[in-house]
Amino acid sequence: MARHPPPERNVVPPAAELVVVANRLPVDRGEDDSSWRRSPGGLVTALEPVVQRTGGAWVGWAGQPDLEVEPFDFDGVHLVPVTLSTDDVAQYYEGFSNDTIWPLYHDVIAAPTYHRAWWDAYVRVNRRFAEAAAAAAGEGATVWVHDYQLQLVPRMLREMRPDLVIGYFHHIPFPAYGIYSQLPWRSQVLEGLLGADVIGFQRVADAGNFARAVRRRFGYDTRAGAITVPTGDGGQRTAIAKAYPISIDTASYEELAQRPEIQARAAEIRAELGNPDTVLLGVDRLDYTKGIRHRLKAVGELFDDGRLGTGDATLVQVASPSRERVAAYVQLRDEIELAVGRINGDHDTIGFTAVRYLHHSYPREEMVALYLAADVMLVTALRDGMNLVAKEYVASRVDGRGVLVLSEFAGAADELTQALRVNPHDIEGLKDAVMTAVSMPVEEQRRRMRALRRRVRDNDVSAWSARFLGDLRAVRGGDA
Ligand code: GDG
């Protein structure tokens, strides 16, 4: 990653035409803490060029508590840091965002915690983000708010700056009303989101759940995703709720996968595993939504049953560290590590391992080498907004080989219809799908992979952002 000189200070705030508002800024502090580095990630790759082109701004948290930094320019983007105190991080971020909204919106796979003090912090911090965006946006600018940490920002922003065009994209699922209605602040959150002109979701089903929640709570007309919202002065406006399935920077994965050194690394990975006939792979943030335990159960039983043999097959499970201060994640890590230990204790030999478990983050080059090394990719999420790993695997298979086993509860299942579709709760079905994948003839692998690859090429992340911003522009033109 490129090192950058100290940022230029900007005394006069620019009046940006496009403002992105996200929990995190697109930069991180370097190891020495004195410089900024562009943080890797799909959203940054997708949005940075658009923001650069328009001389836009990005409002977000720099990732460290109590860090106060003046706005600065970086790679042609005006960055506006929002300061979060240690308490804000504990209550707004780890608390309300990751221990209330995250489990609730993922169908209560883990029990959500409701604390009034967390909600107060969520309101307070959302207002801080809205104020920063209002200050950065030029007259009539477009503001694009991202994700569940900032659901109140659209309405706050509209009240502060009625001239703005406001978009919101929700990266995680939006649950059915029966679940959503548990939220003690269910009306306030819906009102917050309805402040946007376009409210984007991953799946058609998410947009439908949102529209139904609005109908049930407020009785507004929600025909075909066009929601009629009263403006309070007797008038009304339209908010659009619609699906915009997010994607990846497909070309960059293809480019990496074509590099000889990465292909050589893929061969080396297989050799280091003892050249098993089949390499199975899972790559996830260590999160209870990802179905890692279900995957381990299925693969463990296949070893127990002798349908997979040590030396013939190995599961490589990358579980990158995540939210380690939230109790549910601490417990999940223990459970997963216990399960891996049991499987390996029963099935490892001196020379071979059944499950190679890696609780690390890796550079993107290594991830692509792993994707190329894997005969079978297991995406067994119990609930997932999209799941970019599934798309990254497909994009990386420039050789046309490999099988994707994909949960129907991941948003990606709507588009990646040539994957082997599974219900991860059905362990017998999951085991059978793994065996079908392991023994799939090469011709069938190629046929399926061709269709999957076409899909991630046609809908890459720049097509995604262009579609969303196009619909926002249409709002301004009055023809949305
Ligand atoms: C949320 C929604 C939605 C993981 N480990 C490493 C690593 N990763 C990268 C993957 C992928 C990303 O992190 C994870 O994205 P996912 O989509 O799989 O899942 P979430 O983090 O839960 O993301 C999700 C997404 O937002 C976008 O809207 O799809 O449903 O939950 O890109 O490759 N990357 C590297 N090293 C790792 O060890 N370099």
Side-chain angles (χ1 to χ4, degrees):
M1 220 173 308
R3 287 266 166 196
H4 288 267
E8 311 140 32
R9 295 265 178 259
N10 249 41
V11 185
V12 183
E17 255 179 64
L18 175 65
V19 179
V20 169
V21 189
N23 179 58
R24 285 298 311 272
L25 283 173
V27 292
D28 282 315
R29 291 282 238 194
E31 296 100 61
D32 59 2
D33 237 26
S34 66
S35 57
W36 295 93
R37 300 177 310 181
R38 187 171 174 278
S39 41
L43 196 62
V44 180
T45 315
L47 298 182
E48 205 178 41
V50 202
V51 182
Q52 279 166 343
R53 245 193 335 268
T54 55
W58 190 308
V59 175
W61 175 43
Q64 289 178 23
D66 299 310
L67 181 68
E68 298 206 17
V69 190
E70 289 299 309
F72 60 94
D73 289 345
F74 184 94
D75 269 359
V77 176
H78 186 66
L79 299 183
V80 182
V82 172
T83 302
L84 297 186
S85 68
T86 307
D87 271 358
D88 293 336
V89 175
Q91 300 191 321
Y92 144 82
Y93 183 64
E94 289 163 354
F96 198 80
S97 298
N98 288 336
D99 209 9
T100 304
I101 294 292
W102 180 271
L104 180 71
Y105 283 26
H106 288 88
D107 288 355
V108 297
I109 297 167
T113 307
Y114 303 114
H115 282 312
R116 284 163 285 181
W118 289 1
W119 165 253
D120 294 342
Y122 189 75
V123 175
R124 174 176 83 227
V125 172
N126 270 247
R127 181 155 303 118
R128 204 175 300 152
F129 275 83
E131 281 164 356
E139 181 64 26
T142 296
V143 180
W144 191 358
V145 183
H146 286 267
D147 225 1
Y148 65 101
Q149 302 92 352
L150 302 175
Q151 295 172 100
L152 307 180
V153 169
R155 177 178 180 165
M156 291 173 170
L157 202 48
R158 178 171 296 278
E159 282 168 359
M160 293 173 200
R161 291 285 305 273
D163 59 303
L164 300 176
V165 176
I166 302 168
Y168 170 89
F169 185 74
H170 193 75
H171 290 255
I172 68 173
F174 196 91
Y177 186 68
I179 288 175
Y180 179 75
S181 58
Q182 279 189 19
L183 185 67
W185 307 279
R186 57 198 181 181
S187 296
Q188 293 95 311
V189 168
L190 292 179
E191 280 163 1
L193 293 168
L194 284 171
D197 295 292
V198 176
I199 308 154
F201 296 91
Q202 301 279 25
R203 309 179 90 158
V204 173
D206 298 316
N209 285 343
F210 174 73
R212 267 187 298 279
V214 168
R215 216 161 43 232
R216 292 283 294 271
R217 293 248 35 93
F218 304 137
Y220 298 163
D221 192 305
T222 63
R223 231 159 301 166
I227 305 177
T228 309
V229 185
T231 47
D233 54 3
Q236 56 187 42
R237 43 178 280 270
T238 302
I240 309 287
K242 189 169 151 184
Y244 300 85
I246 200 169
S247 192
I248 57 165
D249 180 14
T250 308
S252 78
Y253 281 88
E254 289 183 339
E255 189 272 321
L256 285 171
Q258 258 143 4
R259 285 190 200 167
E261 70 273 21
I262 290 184
Q263 294 184 358
R265 175 64 191 143
E268 191 178 86
I269 289 170
R270 290 190 72 104
E272 285 174 0
L273 292 167
N275 275 321
D277 296 337
T278 305
V279 175
L280 307 157
L281 176 65
V283 171
D284 314 82
R285 271 189 312 98
L286 206 163
D287 195 295
Y288 49 77
T289 60
K290 304 291 182 183
I292 304 171
R293 279 177 308 195
H294 295 64
R295 189 182 311 163
L296 288 172
K297 177 129 187 89
V299 171
E301 285 188 16
L302 288 172
F303 280 114
D304 292 341
D305 302 345
R307 290 168 82 185
L308 292 177
T310 318
D312 302 332
T314 294
L315 168 64
V316 177
Q317 176 63 55
V318 176
S320 45
S322 183
R323 304 179 190 171
E324 294 182 297
R325 287 153 51 93
V326 178
Y329 289 75
V330 176
Q331 191 191 332
L332 175 73
R333 183 175 173 195
D334 285 347
E335 287 168 7
I336 287 175
E337 294 181 356
L338 185 68
V340 170
R342 287 239 168 97
I343 298 171
N344 284 343
D346 286 344
H347 298 288
D348 277 10
T349 62
I350 296 291
F352 293 104
T353 188
V355 182
R356 178 60 51 87
Y357 166 78
L358 305 153
H359 184 243
H360 304 296
S361 278
Y362 290 94
R364 203 196 266 206
E365 289 75 7
E366 183 74 354
M367 303 294 287
V368 172
L370 279 165
Y371 292 145
L372 278 174
D375 304 289
V376 177
M377 181 82 213
L378 298 175
V379 176
T380 57
L382 306 177
R383 193 43 93 190
D384 212 335
M386 177 54 59
N387 195 291
L388 297 181
V389 167
K391 292 188 170 182
E392 290 164 6
Y393 178 67
V394 165
S396 301
R397 296 314 303 231
V398 290
D399 59 349
R401 300 278 299 266
V403 184
L404 174 63
V405 174
L406 178 59
S407 165
E408 63 189 79
F409 302 113
D414 286 356
E415 291 176 274
L416 303 182
T417 52
Q418 290 294 314
L420 288 184
R421 189 183 172 94
V422 290
N423 168 5
H425 297 283
D426 169 12
I427 300 295
E428 281 311 318
L430 183 51
K431 286 163 70 178
D432 289 345
V434 170
M435 294 316 295
T436 304
V438 167
S439 58
M440 188 180 284
V442 173
E443 260 329 292
E444 186 178 349
Q445 292 183 29
R446 288 192 190 285
R447 183 172 54 70
R448 288 175 181 265
M449 198 47 87
R450 208 175 303 127
L452 292 169
R453 292 177 54 74
R454 198 175 309 127
R455 184 70 207 198
V456 295
R457 273 201 178 149
D458 290 349
N459 182 32
D460 69 358
V461 75
S462 61
W464 167 79
S465 62
R467 228 186 114 222
F468 190 93
L469 289 169
D471 280 4
L472 268 184
R473 265 193 300 277
V475 168
R476 162 154 313 147
D479 53 328

Short mmCIF file of all heavy atoms in Angstrom, two decimals, residues 425-462:
data_model
loop_
_atom_site.label_atom_id
_atom_site.label_comp_id
_atom_site.label_asym_id
_atom_site.label_seq_id
_atom_site.Cartn_x
_atom_site.Cartn_y
_atom_site.Cartn_z
N HIS A 425 -28.90 -24.82 7.54
CA HIS A 425 -29.49 -25.45 8.73
C HIS A 425 -29.72 -26.94 8.51
O HIS A 425 -29.83 -27.71 9.46
CB HIS A 425 -30.84 -24.79 9.07
CG HIS A 425 -30.70 -23.35 9.43
ND1 HIS A 425 -30.25 -22.92 10.65
CD2 HIS A 425 -30.92 -22.22 8.70
CE1 HIS A 425 -30.23 -21.59 10.68
NE2 HIS A 425 -30.62 -21.15 9.51
N ASP A 426 -29.82 -27.33 7.25
CA ASP A 426 -30.06 -28.73 6.89
C ASP A 426 -28.70 -29.41 6.71
O ASP A 426 -28.12 -29.41 5.62
CB ASP A 426 -30.89 -28.75 5.59
CG ASP A 426 -30.99 -30.12 4.98
OD1 ASP A 426 -30.62 -31.12 5.65
OD2 ASP A 426 -31.43 -30.20 3.81
N ILE A 427 -28.19 -29.98 7.80
CA ILE A 427 -26.82 -30.51 7.78
C ILE A 427 -26.70 -31.66 6.78
O ILE A 427 -25.69 -31.77 6.07
CB ILE A 427 -26.39 -30.96 9.21
CG1 ILE A 427 -26.44 -29.77 10.19
CG2 ILE A 427 -24.99 -31.59 9.20
CD1 ILE A 427 -25.47 -28.64 9.92
N GLU A 428 -27.74 -32.51 6.69
CA GLU A 428 -27.66 -33.62 5.71
C GLU A 428 -27.59 -33.07 4.28
O GLU A 428 -26.79 -33.53 3.46
CB GLU A 428 -28.88 -34.55 5.82
CG GLU A 428 -28.83 -35.54 6.98
CD GLU A 428 -27.52 -36.33 7.07
OE1 GLU A 428 -27.00 -36.77 6.01
OE2 GLU A 428 -27.02 -36.50 8.19
N GLY A 429 -28.41 -32.06 4.00
CA GLY A 429 -28.41 -31.44 2.66
C GLY A 429 -27.07 -30.77 2.38
O GLY A 429 -26.55 -30.84 1.25
N LEU A 430 -26.51 -30.15 3.41
CA LEU A 430 -25.21 -29.48 3.24
C LEU A 430 -24.12 -30.52 2.96
O LEU A 430 -23.27 -30.34 2.07
CB LEU A 430 -24.92 -28.68 4.52
CG LEU A 430 -23.65 -27.84 4.59
CD1 LEU A 430 -23.51 -26.92 3.38
CD2 LEU A 430 -23.64 -27.00 5.87
N LYS A 431 -24.15 -31.64 3.69
CA LYS A 431 -23.16 -32.70 3.46
C LYS A 431 -23.27 -33.24 2.03
O LYS A 431 -22.26 -33.43 1.34
CB LYS A 431 -23.38 -33.85 4.46
CG LYS A 431 -22.93 -33.50 5.87
CD LYS A 431 -23.51 -34.44 6.92
CE LYS A 431 -22.92 -35.83 6.86
NZ LYS A 431 -23.50 -36.69 7.93
N ASP A 432 -24.50 -33.45 1.59
CA ASP A 432 -24.68 -33.97 0.22
C ASP A 432 -24.17 -32.95 -0.82
O ASP A 432 -23.55 -33.33 -1.81
CB ASP A 432 -26.17 -34.27 -0.05
CG ASP A 432 -26.64 -35.50 0.73
OD1 ASP A 432 -25.78 -36.26 1.23
OD2 ASP A 432 -27.87 -35.69 0.85
N ALA A 433 -24.42 -31.66 -0.55
CA ALA A 433 -23.96 -30.64 -1.51
C ALA A 433 -22.43 -30.61 -1.56
O ALA A 433 -21.84 -30.46 -2.63
CB ALA A 433 -24.51 -29.27 -1.11
N VAL A 434 -21.79 -30.77 -0.39
CA VAL A 434 -20.32 -30.78 -0.37
C VAL A 434 -19.82 -31.95 -1.20
O VAL A 434 -18.90 -31.81 -2.03
CB VAL A 434 -19.78 -30.85 1.08
CG1 VAL A 434 -18.26 -31.09 1.09
CG2 VAL A 434 -20.11 -29.57 1.84
N MET A 435 -20.46 -33.13 -1.04
CA MET A 435 -20.01 -34.30 -1.81
C MET A 435 -20.28 -34.13 -3.31
O MET A 435 -19.48 -34.56 -4.14
CB MET A 435 -20.67 -35.58 -1.28
CG MET A 435 -20.24 -35.96 0.14
SD MET A 435 -18.46 -35.81 0.46
CE MET A 435 -17.78 -37.03 -0.65
N THR A 436 -21.41 -33.50 -3.64
CA THR A 436 -21.69 -33.22 -5.06
C THR A 436 -20.60 -32.30 -5.63
O THR A 436 -20.12 -32.50 -6.74
CB THR A 436 -23.07 -32.53 -5.21
OG1 THR A 436 -24.05 -33.35 -4.60
CG2 THR A 436 -23.43 -32.29 -6.67
N ALA A 437 -20.21 -31.31 -4.83
CA ALA A 437 -19.18 -30.37 -5.28
C ALA A 437 -17.84 -31.09 -5.46
O ALA A 437 -17.14 -30.90 -6.46
CB ALA A 437 -19.03 -29.24 -4.27
N VAL A 438 -17.51 -31.95 -4.47
CA VAL A 438 -16.22 -32.64 -4.49
C VAL A 438 -16.11 -33.52 -5.75
O VAL A 438 -15.03 -33.65 -6.34
CB VAL A 438 -16.05 -33.49 -3.20
CG1 VAL A 438 -14.90 -34.47 -3.32
CG2 VAL A 438 -15.85 -32.57 -1.99
N SER A 439 -17.22 -34.11 -6.14
CA SER A 439 -17.14 -35.05 -7.27
C SER A 439 -17.68 -34.45 -8.58
O SER A 439 -17.93 -35.19 -9.53
CB SER A 439 -17.89 -36.33 -6.92
OG SER A 439 -19.22 -35.98 -6.62
N MET A 440 -17.85 -33.14 -8.64
CA MET A 440 -18.45 -32.57 -9.86
C MET A 440 -17.50 -32.69 -11.06
O MET A 440 -16.32 -32.30 -10.97
CB MET A 440 -18.81 -31.09 -9.65
CG MET A 440 -19.59 -30.52 -10.81
SD MET A 440 -20.01 -28.79 -10.57
CE MET A 440 -21.35 -28.94 -9.41
N PRO A 441 -17.99 -33.24 -12.19
CA PRO A 441 -17.14 -33.35 -13.37
C PRO A 441 -16.67 -31.97 -13.84
O PRO A 441 -17.39 -30.98 -13.70
CB PRO A 441 -18.07 -33.97 -14.43
CG PRO A 441 -19.23 -34.52 -13.67
CD PRO A 441 -19.35 -33.76 -12.41
N VAL A 442 -15.45 -31.96 -14.39
CA VAL A 442 -14.85 -30.69 -14.80
C VAL A 442 -15.74 -29.93 -15.79
O VAL A 442 -15.87 -28.70 -15.70
CB VAL A 442 -13.45 -30.95 -15.41
CG1 VAL A 442 -12.87 -29.66 -15.99
CG2 VAL A 442 -12.53 -31.51 -14.35
N GLU A 443 -16.38 -30.65 -16.70
CA GLU A 443 -17.22 -29.98 -17.69
C GLU A 443 -18.35 -29.20 -17.03
O GLU A 443 -18.68 -28.07 -17.44
CB GLU A 443 -17.79 -31.00 -18.71
CG GLU A 443 -17.02 -31.03 -20.01
CD GLU A 443 -16.42 -29.66 -20.38
OE1 GLU A 443 -17.20 -28.74 -20.69
OE2 GLU A 443 -15.17 -29.49 -20.33
N GLU A 444 -18.95 -29.82 -16.01
CA GLU A 444 -20.04 -29.14 -15.31
C GLU A 444 -19.51 -27.94 -14.51
O GLU A 444 -20.15 -26.89 -14.44
CB GLU A 444 -20.78 -30.12 -14.39
CG GLU A 444 -22.01 -29.46 -13.77
CD GLU A 444 -22.83 -30.38 -12.88
OE1 GLU A 444 -22.59 -31.60 -12.88
OE2 GLU A 444 -23.70 -29.85 -12.17
N GLN A 445 -18.34 -28.11 -13.91
CA GLN A 445 -17.72 -26.97 -13.20
C GLN A 445 -17.56 -25.79 -14.15
O GLN A 445 -17.89 -24.66 -13.81
CB GLN A 445 -16.33 -27.35 -12.68
CG GLN A 445 -16.31 -28.38 -11.59
CD GLN A 445 -14.89 -28.65 -11.09
OE1 GLN A 445 -14.02 -27.78 -11.13
NE2 GLN A 445 -14.65 -29.86 -10.61
N ARG A 446 -17.05 -26.09 -15.34
CA ARG A 446 -16.79 -25.00 -16.31
C ARG A 446 -18.08 -24.33 -16.75
O ARG A 446 -18.14 -23.11 -16.88
CB ARG A 446 -16.07 -25.56 -17.54
CG ARG A 446 -14.64 -25.94 -17.29
CD ARG A 446 -13.92 -26.20 -18.63
NE ARG A 446 -12.61 -26.79 -18.41
CZ ARG A 446 -11.55 -26.11 -17.96
NH1 ARG A 446 -11.66 -24.82 -17.70
NH2 ARG A 446 -10.41 -26.72 -17.77
N ARG A 447 -19.08 -25.15 -17.00
CA ARG A 447 -20.36 -24.60 -17.48
C ARG A 447 -20.95 -23.66 -16.42
O ARG A 447 -21.36 -22.54 -16.72
CB ARG A 447 -21.32 -25.76 -17.79
CG ARG A 447 -22.65 -25.35 -18.37
CD ARG A 447 -23.46 -26.55 -18.82
NE ARG A 447 -23.65 -27.57 -17.79
CZ ARG A 447 -24.41 -27.42 -16.71
NH1 ARG A 447 -25.06 -26.28 -16.49
NH2 ARG A 447 -24.53 -28.40 -15.82
N ARG A 448 -20.95 -24.12 -15.18
CA ARG A 448 -21.51 -23.28 -14.12
C ARG A 448 -20.66 -22.03 -13.90
O ARG A 448 -21.18 -20.93 -13.74
CB ARG A 448 -21.59 -24.07 -12.80
CG ARG A 448 -22.66 -25.16 -12.80
CD ARG A 448 -22.55 -25.95 -11.50
NE ARG A 448 -23.52 -27.01 -11.41
CZ ARG A 448 -24.70 -26.91 -10.81
NH1 ARG A 448 -25.06 -25.77 -10.25
NH2 ARG A 448 -25.52 -27.93 -10.76
N MET A 449 -19.35 -22.22 -13.88
CA MET A 449 -18.46 -21.10 -13.59
C MET A 449 -18.55 -20.03 -14.68
O MET A 449 -18.46 -18.84 -14.40
CB MET A 449 -17.02 -21.63 -13.42
CG MET A 449 -16.07 -20.71 -12.72
SD MET A 449 -16.67 -19.93 -11.19
CE MET A 449 -16.25 -21.14 -9.95
N ARG A 450 -18.75 -20.48 -15.92
CA ARG A 450 -18.88 -19.51 -17.03
C ARG A 450 -20.06 -18.56 -16.76
O ARG A 450 -19.95 -17.35 -16.87
CB ARG A 450 -19.10 -20.27 -18.34
CG ARG A 450 -18.58 -19.52 -19.56
CD ARG A 450 -18.69 -20.37 -20.83
NE ARG A 450 -18.00 -21.63 -20.74
CZ ARG A 450 -18.53 -22.83 -20.98
NH1 ARG A 450 -19.80 -22.95 -21.34
NH2 ARG A 450 -17.82 -23.93 -20.89
N ALA A 451 -21.19 -19.13 -16.37
CA ALA A 451 -22.39 -18.31 -16.11
C ALA A 451 -22.18 -17.41 -14.89
O ALA A 451 -22.57 -16.23 -14.90
CB ALA A 451 -23.60 -19.22 -15.90
N LEU A 452 -21.55 -17.96 -13.86
CA LEU A 452 -21.31 -17.18 -12.64
C LEU A 452 -20.38 -16.00 -12.94
O LEU A 452 -20.61 -14.87 -12.50
CB LEU A 452 -20.69 -18.06 -11.56
CG LEU A 452 -21.58 -19.16 -10.97
CD1 LEU A 452 -20.77 -20.14 -10.11
CD2 LEU A 452 -22.70 -18.54 -10.12
N ARG A 453 -19.34 -16.28 -13.72
CA ARG A 453 -18.36 -15.23 -14.02
C ARG A 453 -18.99 -14.12 -14.87
O ARG A 453 -18.67 -12.94 -14.71
CB ARG A 453 -17.14 -15.82 -14.72
CG ARG A 453 -16.32 -16.71 -13.78
CD ARG A 453 -15.14 -17.35 -14.47
NE ARG A 453 -14.30 -16.37 -15.12
CZ ARG A 453 -13.48 -15.55 -14.50
NH1 ARG A 453 -13.37 -15.60 -13.19
NH2 ARG A 453 -12.75 -14.69 -15.18
N ARG A 454 -19.87 -14.52 -15.77
CA ARG A 454 -20.54 -13.52 -16.61
C ARG A 454 -21.30 -12.54 -15.70
O ARG A 454 -21.28 -11.33 -15.88
CB ARG A 454 -21.49 -14.21 -17.58
CG ARG A 454 -21.88 -13.32 -18.75
CD ARG A 454 -22.72 -14.06 -19.78
NE ARG A 454 -22.14 -15.32 -20.23
CZ ARG A 454 -22.77 -16.50 -20.22
NH1 ARG A 454 -24.02 -16.59 -19.80
NH2 ARG A 454 -22.17 -17.60 -20.64
N ARG A 455 -21.96 -13.11 -14.69
CA ARG A 455 -22.78 -12.30 -13.80
C ARG A 455 -21.93 -11.27 -13.02
O ARG A 455 -22.29 -10.11 -12.92
CB ARG A 455 -23.50 -13.24 -12.83
CG ARG A 455 -24.43 -12.57 -11.91
CD ARG A 455 -25.64 -12.04 -12.65
NE ARG A 455 -26.19 -10.90 -11.94
CZ ARG A 455 -27.40 -10.41 -12.11
NH1 ARG A 455 -28.20 -10.95 -13.00
NH2 ARG A 455 -27.81 -9.39 -11.42
N VAL A 456 -20.78 -11.70 -12.47
CA VAL A 456 -19.98 -10.74 -11.68
C VAL A 456 -19.22 -9.76 -12.57
O VAL A 456 -18.75 -8.74 -12.10
CB VAL A 456 -19.01 -11.40 -10.66
CG1 VAL A 456 -19.78 -12.14 -9.59
CG2 VAL A 456 -18.00 -12.29 -11.31
N ARG A 457 -19.10 -10.11 -13.85
CA ARG A 457 -18.53 -9.12 -14.78
C ARG A 457 -19.56 -8.07 -15.14
O ARG A 457 -19.26 -6.88 -15.19
CB ARG A 457 -18.10 -9.82 -16.06
CG ARG A 457 -16.73 -10.35 -15.96
CD ARG A 457 -16.21 -10.54 -17.36
NE ARG A 457 -14.86 -11.01 -17.30
CZ ARG A 457 -14.33 -11.79 -18.21
NH1 ARG A 457 -15.05 -12.20 -19.24
NH2 ARG A 457 -13.08 -12.16 -18.11
N ASP A 458 -20.79 -8.53 -15.44
CA ASP A 458 -21.83 -7.60 -15.86
C ASP A 458 -22.23 -6.66 -14.73
O ASP A 458 -22.48 -5.49 -14.94
CB ASP A 458 -23.08 -8.34 -16.35
CG ASP A 458 -22.81 -9.05 -17.67
OD1 ASP A 458 -21.74 -8.77 -18.27
OD2 ASP A 458 -23.63 -9.88 -18.09
N ASN A 459 -22.32 -7.21 -13.53
CA ASN A 459 -22.66 -6.35 -12.38
C ASN A 459 -21.45 -6.25 -11.47
O ASN A 459 -21.35 -6.96 -10.47
CB ASN A 459 -23.88 -6.89 -11.62
CG ASN A 459 -24.27 -5.97 -10.46
OD1 ASN A 459 -24.10 -4.75 -10.53
ND2 ASN A 459 -24.78 -6.55 -9.38
N ASP A 460 -20.52 -5.34 -11.80
CA ASP A 460 -19.40 -5.12 -10.89
C ASP A 460 -19.73 -3.91 -10.03
O ASP A 460 -20.80 -3.30 -10.16
CB ASP A 460 -18.06 -5.01 -11.63
CG ASP A 460 -17.97 -3.73 -12.44
OD1 ASP A 460 -18.94 -2.95 -12.48
OD2 ASP A 460 -16.91 -3.51 -13.06
N VAL A 461 -18.78 -3.55 -9.14
CA VAL A 461 -19.14 -2.52 -8.16
C VAL A 461 -19.31 -1.14 -8.79
O VAL A 461 -20.06 -0.30 -8.29
CB VAL A 461 -18.12 -2.52 -6.99
CG1 VAL A 461 -16.80 -1.89 -7.40
CG2 VAL A 461 -18.69 -1.85 -5.77
N SER A 462 -18.65 -0.91 -9.93
CA SER A 462 -18.85 0.43 -10.52
C SER A 462 -20.22 0.50 -11.21
O SER A 462 -20.86 1.55 -11.20
CB SER A 462 -17.69 0.84 -11.43
OG SER A 462 -17.59 -0.05 -12.49
#
